[in-house]
Amino acid sequence: MSFPLLTATAVLPAVGAIATAAVPAKQRTAAKWLALLFSLATLVIAAVVAVRFDPGGARYQLTESHSWIKDFGVRYELGVDGIGVALIALTALLIPFVILAGWNDADPLETGNTRWRPTQGFFALILLVEAMVIISFEATDVFLFYIFFEAMLIPMYFLIGGFGDRAGPHGEKEAATQRSYAAVKFLLYNLVGGLIMLAAVIGLYVVAGSFSLSEIAAARANGSLDMATNTERLLFLGFFFAFAVKAPLWPLHTWLPNAMGEATAPVAVLITAVVDKVGTFAMLRFCLQLFPEASKWATPVILALALISIVYGALLAVGQRDIKRLVAYASISHFGFIILGIFAMTSQGQSGATLYMVNHGLSTAALMLVAGFLISRRGSRLIADYGGVQKVAPVLAGTFLIGGLATLSLPGLAPFVSEFLVLVGTFTRYPVVGIIATFGIVLAALYTLVLYQRTMTGPVKPSNEGIVDLKARELTVVVPLIAVLIFLGVYPKPLTELVNPAVKHTMSDVQKKDPKPEVEAAHK
């Protein structure tokens, strides 16, 4: 097919960002509809990519390759495997809901210290992030990936710092200070990781003479590329550090609660459900494929860090008083499961990790967006300010409950399949690690049910009597997400068939096979 589908999938939202930013200042509604239309058009092209992709075909499909910076061996090289297709679909699906949920978030304040919040800029930045994330999932040239891996930090910085949450526990001045702090912390953490990765990218070119994944793989296959053990390990650490910051993995996680707490709910979804997935995706595509021996060497330490993330994130979520920070710490725990599945080095674990990336994006989006609707009504993020909401807004409470149950991986909802595969895949190779990770499930049930009980049940507090139920626009956001969570929870086959061939390739890269089950032969 001559039409560059992958380029179109990334370019369309970028064009939409430019067009939205160019809408006249007073035409806020036109800017919103234009951004939504471009996001829906991107979803259509992403669907075409998914349909055109053949899970049983070549590893990377719909490929594009053009010389870019010839003197440095940099190519504009794109290609997708099943994992990339799944994450592109997730990104393209979530962005229209993010735009709809944030429909009024950038409107100018009408009372108090009124300041202009440029609606056009808000939605243009969201589309720009979408474009950069999608091309990161498509890039098979390491340098091309690095450029967009870093570039997406800039629009995210402005979305957090310039369009942050208005419902902070303090006044507008203090809220602005907290937004700025969270945005700077997000940027600095990720820039440090990116700078370390840049050194590793340069080192990779010195050793391999190429940035292209296909060329490096071919050189390994024919024996012309043989990295020294220490060199491979150092390069691996440079890449992994940047991805662990983005993921985020303990102890490099501390920017996430601040960023999600101070961002609006739609931007918080953009952070944890979309942008952070680039980190875990890159562990599969680059760490395991480029540095297989170093990946196996680092596995014990990474598994330990993943376990700490699972338990630590869940424990801190239990003790949170802020709804959005609770979801942030829960996400840290969930990312621990994803990384655990990746480095368990089993097909079940890696399939589960990939499904977890998709399903965590859906469940977190559902929970956080409903929480955002609740916060916008009451004007507070504090759990203690709520109570009895289910009596005055039963649909809001019901959708909040379903989002929470998906977060704790209730059977019948999509995250359950992911978590089950991760734990099974981990237990077959590292039984002790699998047993410890299971405690994360218990803690997830605790923080989710306690959150629901404290906010939705009991007598209605006088300050909550005016809370209204979900409106048509909000139902348009929440209902499709819940429907997808239920569908993939009951019938995950479309996703598993898409990602399993890619997982087999990754297992082949690290030369790992699934452990054989240890069972006694049946007596005749």
Side-chain angles (χ1 to χ4, degrees), residues 427-473:
F427 188 84
T428 56
R429 196 179 294 278
Y430 304 102
V432 174
V433 174
I435 291 170
I436 297 173
T438 306
F439 284 102
I441 301 175
V442 179
L443 294 172
L446 179 61
Y447 63 68
T448 300
L449 296 177
V450 167
L451 171 64
Y452 183 82
Q453 180 189 37
R454 292 178 178 175
T455 56
M456 301 296 166
T457 64
V460 182
K461 292 187 176 181
S463 57
N464 294 331
E465 291 176 353
I467 292 177
V468 297
D469 220 334
L470 295 182
K471 300 177 181 178
R473 172 179 60 85

Side-chain angles (χ1 to χ4, degrees), residues 362 366 370 395 398-403 413 477-488:
L362 296 170
V370 177
V395 177
T399 53
F400 189 82
L401 177 62
I402 295 173
L413 297 172
V477 172
V478 177
V479 171
L481 289 173
I482 291 175
V484 175
L485 283 169
I486 295 172
F487 174 79
L488 292 178

Side-chain angles (χ1 to χ4, degrees), residues 136-157:
S136 297
F137 292 141
E138 297 172 345
T140 55
D141 181 279
V142 177
F143 194 82
L144 178 67
F145 169 83
Y146 172 79
I147 289 174
F148 290 99
F149 180 80
E150 286 292 275
M152 70 180 70
L153 302 179
I154 304 304
M156 286 306 308
Y157 168 81

